[in-house]
Each structure stands twice: as C-alpha cells, then as structure tokens.
C-alpha cells in the first residue's frame, strides 16, 4: 500500500473521493462491488481518518441498478458521472437528480451539464455548461470539471488563470471554487426528480462480450474467493490464509475490474498483463488451499458455502457418482447410492435421439438440431414448431465508432445460421448422459457442442468448444421459446432487472444488447424458461427468443482479441410457476459454482466444522461467509433475489451475539439483533450480519 505524506493528506482531504479503481459496474459481482468500496474506504480511513462520501465514476460504461444500495451500505451518499451524455439514441433527461436503486435506496447524483470531465475553462465551455442544465428550474448549481482528465495531466496554469478572470464576468454564470462534498450538500437544497433503476448506457455494449477469457477468469476468481473465505470462517485448518493474503487476492481481482480492462477495451499488452495476474492468482490460491492439508492425515471434503442442500455429479476412480452436501458445510461427500431419477438416452424409430430424466425430455433430429424440449411435470413444450433450440448464429460486427467497445443495432440485420453436421452419443450412465454435435463455422472456425443431462437436474447443459478465427464477427446462440412476455428478466448484482422484449419506443430499441450475470429469463405467470451462463454477460431478448452473446472479434485496440480456442458453458432451464417460485437464482449458482472437493485435516473434520450462525431459509441467497475485517467474528452477507419481502429464520449458537452492520463493517453502524429467530429482509435488500463471541459497542 502506498502511504501519503502529511502534507499530501492536508492537500487532498477536502477534495478527495473514492475510486478504487474506477471499476466497470456491469460485470463484477455484488461481492466484488462491495469489496471495491471496502478496500477503498479502508485506505481512506487509514490515511485520512474518515470515510469518503462520493463515488466518482466519470467514464464507466453504464451503472448497475444495485449500485445505490451498495453505495449507501458503504457510507457513500453522492454519485458523479458524465458518461450518459454519450448516449447514441436518447438524451438522458436530468443533470441533477436522486438515483433510486432496485431496492429503493436513494443517492444524490450529478452529471455535469458540460458533458465532459476535461473542460478547458473557456467562455464557450462555461456557457455550454449553463445552457445545458436540464434541471434549471430545480437547481441552478452545477459542476464544471476542468483539466486534462483522460490520460491524466490535470489543470494547466492557463486554465487556472482563466478560472480566476471569469469568476464574476457579466453575461456569464457566477463561478465558485468549491470541493465536491460542499457542492453536493448545496444541491440537496433543491427539489429534485428521481430516476429509478439502472442507468443504461446506450453505447459500448460490445464490452459485455469482448475479451471473453478475462470475463471467464474474473468470475472463476470471484467464486474461488467464496470458497476460500468460507473455509477461513469455519476454521477448516490450522494454516488458514492470513488477512493480508486474502486482501491481496481480492485486490488483484478488483484491479482488473478497471473499466477498460475487464470490459476488454484495452491494448493487447494490458490483456497479457491481466492474464498474468489471473495466473498468479491461481498459483497463490492453489498454494493456500494445499497449505490447509495436514502432513499425514487428511480427509476429502466437499465445500458448500451456500444456504441450500446441493447435489452434483462428480468423477471418481470408480466412475461417475451423484453426491449431496448440506447447506453451508465442508463435509466428506455423501454419495447417493440409489438414484431415484436416472438419466437416459435412446434412439427413436424415426432416427431422432432423445435424452431425458424425470424433469426434461430433449429430442435432436438426425442432423443434430434440437427440435424439442419438453418440461415433463407441466407437459409444456418449450421449442416452437419449426424452430430449433441452441442455434449458433453469426453477425457482421462493424461499429461506427470504437471497435472493442461498440456493437451497433444494424448488426442484427446480418444474421447467418450455422447448421450442425452430425450427432454422436458420447456418454450413457445412470447419473449422466451426453451427446456431441459438430458445427462448421466456415471460414470463422469450428465448433463442437456437448449436450449433457444429469439425473434429477432441472436444466440441460451445453458445453461449446470453439476454435475462433473471425474478424469483425459476432457469434451468438439463440433459443426460440413457446413463451409470450413483453419483458425479460436479467440477473444483476444481488437482484434482477426487467427489460423490454420489443422495440416500441426509442428507449426500448436502444436496449437491443444488454448486460446480465448468471441468468436471463422469459416467463408467463405459470411457466417460464431461463438460460444460465458461466462466463457470459451479453444478452438480448426479442419477442419469444433469448440470445446469449458468445464471442466478438474486434481488431482495435487489440488486433487479436478473442482469436483462439474457447470453452463456453451455458444451460437451458424450463420451470413451472412464476419466476420467484422457480429457484432460478439457486440453480444458476449451482451451475456456475460446482462444489469444490479438497483435502482437509481429519482432526478438523472429526471436530464437526460448523458456523456459529445458521440461515434456515432458501428465500435468500447467502453470497459470502467470511472472517470479519476486525476481531474474531464471522460475517454472513445475504440478499433477497426476486423482489419480495421475506422472513428468514436464523439460529445463533449459544455464546454468540448477532449484529446487523453495513457492508464495510463500520463499528459505528452495528445494530444488536435481539432476534426472535427471524430476520425480515426487504425486496432486493443486501444484509450484512456479524456474529461475534464478544459484545460490540
């Protein structure tokens, strides 16, 4: 960590703001977003003795609808950006407003009406800033950001002199030099409008997909930290990772979430540096996990950090086995010896191939096209007659402006379909069956798709292996569905957003490509179909079709972006009932984050590893279990994923106290929970609990 001199602290204290390290907010998980603030605020507190209260993100490519809540829970009240002034289709209607998150949390936001973060402080700049203010009747104050900001350099002496000379010039607005906190506190006096939900950026949509390997590595590392911190919280070994080691691993992830690294919009050397960082993460992570073993006596355990019982097919020296694990546990794997719901595969008389378990029946024709997906409990067919599921398509991808950043709406007019060429059965086992389908991508590469169905699994899995050599091409996979819905749901950090499946207005049509996390969904009140992805963040939904964006091939600023071999995993999940009863969030976690099997000291396993707090509900998602930042407590962070108010049973071990705190674990924000064994959680609310053997406060 770099420490500042006292002189530097005095200089910066009034005007400093949080920005570690100006991250993207579309791709990082909710836990990553919280850690961005946690370590940023930790630095600010250690160096200045206070928390920062401003989030300063002038150049990030759109802003998650969960960001206001995360800001508030990390002690941040104010938000500044100017990026939405770049919108290609619609003009954002406000410069100064209250931004309301999907849970109802509210922060004060300001978009400087000069539409830049590097004004030269000319008369023209000042007049533009004043005339552009869309909230003139509510507040006359607005901010002018000056200096060379994109790439650094700051203000010049000429700019400062012009600023002095123009402070009180007739015909110009009055200019006042002030710090950002004072400025925002002045704004709060106005009667301002509210904007609810995400701040969708109508450009740079290609960054949801560009440089696939970085996004794949980011998500893998996020889940590995979930396992590592959970094992630390339950004291699974004597040689646990130190707080410093955990922090360094997190900071490696967070640094590479910078808004031109993780989005894939940097030069080739930056990509290589990021890959090197992820390789170093893997080495350090493996070293720490191996260090937990005993020198002599170890037992294999399955790690399940989540608050629901999980089942999974694993490979053993005796073949495939179906195992299960209890919620929030690290225990020896429990094999399910009698499989009540076997997976099967067989040929039909017409030459088609059928895969099925008790929930799903999938049919492929002789060519390998997916012609049917039947949800057996509801007897609902998911694929429309004459259509095919898992259709690989390619589009021309030649944006008007910035190659790695943008994809334009007109690319949808260039759709070309790739037909599968053959189908082979590759696995027949009571717990898993699989087929492989070959697809010729022409001059742009070759692909094989493995389709896998496990016993008792409610979703069909796809594993696409592709050798990609396209340039200025966009590869996607389509699933036409027998579902009618005017809106689709997409998972974001600790929640979801709904977006239109139609182009009724310019605001609707601008969302032809959107970001999402582990799942997207089209549903009716009594039936729906979701798709899961392991490392993809670009989606679209039009009418009755969900599309996952797989690979792009931009040539600037990296001429070789995404060229090479890729393994891409996704799944199709039909369900009966409404979205909130489908358990789609839990199933998406199961698909993305397979249970880890590791060796731990037998003495620890015999001692019955357990947490001092138990969450007895699947209405919420436990996203993180970790040692507290200070002291010897355990932090459990959970959220409500669907938008409902729920009551969560909680059990606390004798001798422990349970506190509700904010996301940065501020000791001044601790609320002692005298629980009657229940916790009320509001829609999309993120709750941080601290369980401690000591009284706090």
């Amino acid at each position: 960590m770099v420490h500042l001199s006292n002189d530097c602290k005095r200089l910066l204290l009034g005007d400093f703001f949080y920005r570690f390290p100006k991250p993207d907010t579309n791709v990082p998980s909710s836990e990553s977003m919280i850690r961005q603030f946690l370590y940023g605020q930790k630095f600010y507190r250690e160096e200045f003795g206070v928390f920062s209260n401003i989030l300063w993100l002038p150049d990030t490519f759109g802003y998650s609808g969960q960001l206001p809540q995360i800001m508030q829970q990390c002690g941040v009240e104010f938000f500044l950006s100017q990026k939405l002034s770049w919108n290609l289709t619609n003009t954002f209607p406000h410069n100064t407003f209250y931004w309301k998150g999907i849970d109802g949390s509210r922060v004060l936001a300001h978009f400087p009406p000069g539409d830049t973060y590097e004004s030269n402080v000319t008369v023209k700049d000042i007049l533009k800033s004043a005339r552009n203010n869309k909230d003139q009747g509510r507040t006359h104050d607005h901010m002018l950001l000056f200096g060379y900001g994109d790439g650094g350099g700051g203000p010049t002496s000429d700019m400062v002199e012009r600023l002095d000379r123009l402070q009180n010039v007739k015909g110009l607005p009055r200019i006042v030099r002030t710090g950002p906190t004072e400025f925002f506190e002045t704004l709060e006096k106005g009667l301002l409008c509210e904007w609810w939900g995400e701040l969708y950026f109508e450009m740079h949509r290609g960054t949801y997909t560009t440089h696939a390997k970085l996004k794949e590595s980011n998500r893998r590392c996020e889940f590995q930290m979930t396992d590592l911190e959970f094992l630390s919280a339950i004291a699974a070994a004597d040689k646990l990772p130190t707080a410093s080691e955990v922090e360094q691993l997190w900071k490696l992830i967070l640094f590479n979430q910078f808004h031109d690294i993780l989005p894939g919009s940097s030069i080739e050397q930056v990509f290589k540096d990021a890959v090197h960082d992820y390789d170093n993460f893997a080495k350090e992570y493996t070293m720490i996990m191996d260090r937990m073993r005993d020198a002599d006596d170890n037992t294999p355990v399955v790690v399940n950090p989540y608050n629901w019982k999980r089942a999974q097919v694993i490979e053993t020296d005796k073949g495939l086995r179906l195992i299960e694990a209890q919620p929030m546990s690290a225990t020896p794997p429990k094999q399910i010896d009698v499989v009540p719901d076997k997976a099967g595969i067989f040929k039909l008389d017409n030459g088609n191939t059928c895969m099925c378990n008790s929930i799903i029946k999938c049919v492929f024709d002789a060519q390998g096209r997916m012609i049917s997906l039947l949800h057996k409990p509801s007897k609902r067919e998911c694929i429309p007659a004459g259509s095919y599921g898992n259709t690989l398509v390619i589009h021309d991808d030649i944006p008007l402006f910035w190659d790695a950043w943008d994809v334009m709406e007109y690319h949808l007019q260039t759709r070309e379909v790739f037909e599968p060429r053959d189908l082979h059965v590759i696995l027949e086992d009571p717990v898993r069956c699989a087929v492989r389908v070959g697809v010729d991508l022409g001059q742009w590469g070759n692909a094989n798709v493995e389709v896998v169905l496990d016993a008792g699994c409610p979703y069909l899995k796809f594993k696409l292996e592709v050798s990609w050599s396209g340039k200025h091409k966009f590869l996607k996979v389509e699933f036409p569905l027998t579902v009618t819905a005017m809106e689709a749901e997409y998972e974001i950090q600790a929640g979801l957003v709904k977006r239109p499946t139609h182009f009724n207005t310019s605001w609707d049509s601008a969302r032809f490509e959107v970001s999402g996390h582990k799942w997207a969904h089209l549903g009716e009140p009594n039936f729906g179909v979701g798709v899961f992805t392991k490392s993809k963040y670009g989606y679209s939904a039009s009418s009755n079709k969900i599309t996952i964006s797989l690979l792009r091939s931009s040539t600037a600023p990296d001429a070789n972006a995404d060229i090479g071999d890729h393994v891409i995993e996704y799944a199709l999940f039909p369900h009966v009932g409404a979205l909130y009863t489908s358990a789609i969030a839990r199933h998406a976690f199961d698909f993305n984050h397979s249970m880890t099997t590791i060796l731990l000291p037998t003495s620890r396993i015999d001692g019955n590893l357990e947490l001092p707090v138990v969450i007895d509900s699947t209405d919420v998602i436990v996203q993180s279990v970790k040692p507290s930042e200070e002291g010897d407590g355990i932090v459990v962070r959970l959220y409500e994923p669907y938008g409902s108010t729920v009551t969560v049973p909680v059990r606390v071990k004798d001798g422990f106290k349970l506190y509700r705190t904010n996301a940065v674990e501020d000791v001044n924000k601790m609320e002692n929970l005298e629980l009657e064994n229940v916790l009320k959680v509001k829609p999309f609310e993120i709750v941080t609990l601290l369980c401690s053997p000591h009284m706090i406060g």
Side-chain angles (χ1 to χ4, degrees):
M1 176 182 288
V2 176
H3 292 280
L4 301 176
S5 68
N6 288 332
D7 288 341
C8 188
K9 290 179 185 180
R10 285 194 295 270
L11 176 65
L12 293 177
L13 184 54
D15 295 320
F16 203 68
F17 41 84
Y18 161 77
R19 53 171 190 174
F20 184 89
K22 289 202 297 185
D24 177 74
T25 76
N26 292 313
V27 175
S29 69
S30 57
E31 192 61 31
S32 284
M33 295 291 290
I34 287 170
R35 301 305 175 97
Q36 291 279 1
F37 285 91
L38 175 74
Y39 293 120
Q41 293 287 37
K42 182 179 179 181
F43 172 82
Y44 200 86
R45 183 177 59 208
E46 289 176 353
E47 294 296 334
F48 300 107
V50 295
F51 277 166
S52 168
N53 61 355
I54 300 175
L55 177 58
W56 193 276
L57 286 180
D59 200 29
T60 298
F61 312 146
Y63 303 96
S64 166
Q66 193 61 284
L67 195 52
Q69 179 181 191
I70 294 174
M71 289 171 61
Q72 278 201 348
Q73 293 211 14
C74 297
V76 179
E77 308 170 68
F78 308 126
F79 173 66
L80 182 136
S81 178
Q82 60 82 48
K83 199 63 177 181
L84 266 62
S85 67
W86 290 34
N87 274 3
L88 199 58
T89 306
N90 299 285
T91 300
F92 191 75
H94 301 294
N95 292 106
T96 306
F97 59 100
Y98 284 108
W99 180 23
K100 214 167 185 180
I102 60 173
D103 73 311
S105 297
R106 196 173 81 159
V107 295
L108 182 59
H110 182 65
F111 295 172
D115 295 343
T116 182
Y117 46 74
E118 48 180 357
S119 166
N120 290 318
V121 199
T122 63
V123 171
K124 181 180 178 181
D125 291 344
I126 294 169
L127 288 174
K128 176 185 176 182
S129 182
R131 292 166 180 168
N132 247 16
N133 186 4
K134 304 179 188 70
D135 298 280
Q136 196 76 261
R138 300 178 182 90
T139 176
H140 295 289
D141 297 314
H142 57 273
M143 189 181 292
L144 182 71
L145 306 178
F146 64 97
Y148 291 108
D150 196 357
T156 65
S157 58
D158 287 345
M159 295 177 191
V160 174
E161 184 175 353
R162 282 197 295 272
L163 191 64
D164 289 336
R165 291 187 177 192
L166 295 174
Q167 282 189 11
N168 290 289
V169 174
K170 187 176 181 180
L172 294 181
R174 186 169 63 91
I175 298 172
V176 178
R177 288 200 202 182
T178 185
T181 298
E182 183 182 351
F183 168 77
F184 273 101
E185 289 173 347
T186 300
L187 288 181
E188 286 189 290
K189 298 173 184 176
L191 182 63
L192 302 175
C193 295
E194 286 185 341
W195 181 273
W196 195 312
E198 68 178 334
L199 294 169
Y200 178 83
F201 182 40
E202 296 177 1
M203 285 191 75
H204 294 4
R205 306 168 184 92
T207 59
Y208 313 149
T209 305
T210 307
H211 266 311
K213 291 188 184 298
L214 296 185
K215 295 171 174 64
E216 178 184 352
S217 296
N218 174 77
R219 189 178 292 186
R220 181 182 65 250
C221 292
E222 288 174 335
F223 282 132
Q224 287 176 331
M225 291 305 296
T226 302
D227 285 341
L228 184 63
E229 291 188 312
F230 177 79
L231 291 169
S232 297
I234 62 174
D238 292 323
K239 298 178 180 178
L240 295 171
T242 66
S244 176
E245 287 175 323
V246 170
E247 182 172 328
Q248 290 309 308
L249 286 175
W250 265 116
K251 285 185 174 180
L252 186 149
I253 296 173
L254 302 180
F255 176 80
N256 284 291
Q257 290 173 351
F258 175 72
H259 71 272
D260 271 320
I261 300 178
L262 186 56
S265 48
S266 287
I267 61 174
E268 186 173 12
Q269 186 58 51
V270 171
F271 167 72
K272 292 178 179 178
D273 289 346
V275 170
H276 179 70
D277 282 346
Y278 289 127
D279 289 343
N280 286 340
F281 177 99
K283 293 175 184 176
E284 184 71 13
Y285 173 83
T286 301
M287 183 271 292
I288 292 172
M289 297 292 270
D290 289 346
R291 194 177 69 200
M292 292 187 189
R293 301 177 186 176
D294 187 79
D296 302 309
D297 189 10
N298 296 287
T299 298
V301 301
V302 174
V303 182
N304 177 17
Y306 301 120
N307 56 309
W308 59 90
K309 187 177 179 180
R310 303 175 71 192
Q312 178 179 307
V313 175
I314 64 169
E315 294 185 16
T316 71
D317 54 1
K318 297 181 181 180
L320 296 175
R321 294 292 185 267
L322 182 62
I323 63 167
E324 64 180 12
Q326 294 301 312
M328 301 172 74
S329 67
T331 55
K334 180 182 178 182
Q335 182 174 319
I336 302 175
D337 294 317
V338 179
V339 181
D341 170 29
K342 296 181 179 180
I345 188 167
F346 51 91
K347 286 283 188 180
L348 302 176
D349 292 340
N350 59 6
N352 294 341
T353 301
C354 178
M355 307 170 67
C356 65
N357 60 19
S358 64
I359 304 170
I360 289 174
K361 177 183 177 182
C362 180
V363 180
F364 296 87
D365 67 14
Q367 188 176 330
R369 296 176 298 193
M370 181 178 171
I371 60 175
S372 173
L373 182 76
L374 181 71
H375 183 252
K376 295 168 74 173
S378 65
K379 299 181 181 180
R380 179 77 177 255
E381 173 60 53
C382 301
I383 306 298
S387 298
Y388 306 105
N390 193 44
T391 300
L392 290 175
V393 300
I394 200 168
H395 300 266
D396 291 341
D397 187 14
I398 307 173
L400 288 175
F401 305 108
W402 295 275
D403 204 11
W405 290 261
D406 290 329
V407 58
M408 314 308 292
E409 187 175 4
Y410 55 72
H411 86 283
L412 298 172
Q413 302 173 17
T414 62
R415 176 177 175 270
E416 179 182 350
V417 176
F418 293 111
E419 298 285 353
R421 58 173 178 256
D422 50 35
L423 180 146
H424 300 285
V425 176
I426 59 172
L427 179 62
E428 295 183 72
D429 190 278
V431 298
R432 173 173 287 172
C433 60
V435 300
R436 177 181 289 124
V437 179
V439 183
D440 184 0
L441 302 180
Q443 61 181 305
W444 301 294
N446 290 289
N448 288 292
V449 185
E450 291 183 11
V451 187
V452 180
L453 185 62
D454 290 345
C457 185
Y459 48 86
L460 187 67
K461 296 183 282 189
F462 301 84
K463 182 178 180 180
L464 172 65
E465 298 174 340
V466 56
S467 179
W468 181 244
S469 58
K471 294 283 188 178
H472 288 123
K473 296 293 178 179
F474 202 164
L475 182 67
K476 304 184 182 185
V477 61
E478 297 177 348
F479 288 97
L481 303 170
T482 57
V483 175
T484 301
M486 291 187 68
E487 291 180 314
E489 295 87 8
Y490 302 86
E491 187 195 39
I492 62 169
Q493 296 93 341
L496 63 87
V497 294
K498 296 182 179 182
R499 301 180 178 117
T501 61
H502 53 78
F503 289 173
N504 283 359
T505 71
S506 60
W507 293 90
D508 300 331
S509 62
R511 286 169 166 78
F512 62 86
E513 179 82 3
V514 297
S515 64
H517 280 216
K518 296 181 293 297
W519 59 265
H521 177 266
L522 270 179
E524 300 168 358
N526 61 349
F527 185 80
V529 181
V531 294
F532 305 153
T533 70
K534 274 197 175 180
S535 59
K536 299 301 162 188
Y537 296 87
Y539 298 89
S540 59
S542 176
S543 186
N544 67 330
K545 180 173 65 180
I546 291 183
T547 302
I548 306 171
S549 298
L550 303 178
L551 292 170
R552 298 185 69 225
S553 47
S554 57
T555 59
D558 182 354
N560 299 302
D562 286 315
I563 299 300
D565 297 333
H566 298 266
V567 177
I568 302 168
E569 296 182 67
Y570 49 94
L572 191 63
F573 169 60
H575 67 87
V576 69
L579 174 69
Y580 69 91
T581 64
S582 69
I584 188 172
R586 299 203 309 271
H587 290 310
F589 269 99
D590 290 342
F591 175 69
N592 269 266
H593 187 188
S594 299
M595 290 187 288
T596 303
T597 302
I598 64 169
L599 292 173
L600 289 179
T602 302
S603 59
R604 292 280 180 166
I605 305 304
D606 294 342
N608 191 22
L609 298 173
E610 62 179 21
L611 289 166
V613 58
V614 177
I615 308 299
D616 278 332
S617 173
T618 56
D619 288 332
V620 294
I621 301 289
V622 171
Q623 74 176 33
S624 178
V625 179
K626 60 181 281 291
S628 59
E629 292 299 307
E630 297 181 8
D632 54 358
I634 300 299
V635 167
V636 176
R637 189 155 22 248
L638 56 88
Y639 68 92
E640 193 287 314
Y642 302 116
S644 299
T645 298
V646 297
T647 301
V648 179
V650 179
R651 288 184 285 119
V652 182
K653 191 175 180 180
D654 288 343
F656 284 81
K657 297 286 185 181
L658 191 65
Y659 299 86
R660 182 167 182 167
T661 183
N662 64 5
V664 293
E665 302 169 39
D666 184 357
V667 294
N668 297 315
K669 301 292 184 180
M670 298 287 181
E671 176 189 351
N672 192 347
L673 295 179
E674 299 294 338
L675 288 173
E676 297 179 358
N677 298 320
V678 294
L679 177 70
K680 186 176 180 180
V681 183
K682 294 181 289 187
F684 301 126
E685 185 177 18
I686 301 170
V687 176
T688 302
L689 302 174
L690 190 149
C691 190
S692 174
H694 308 294
M695 184 70 71
I696 299 176

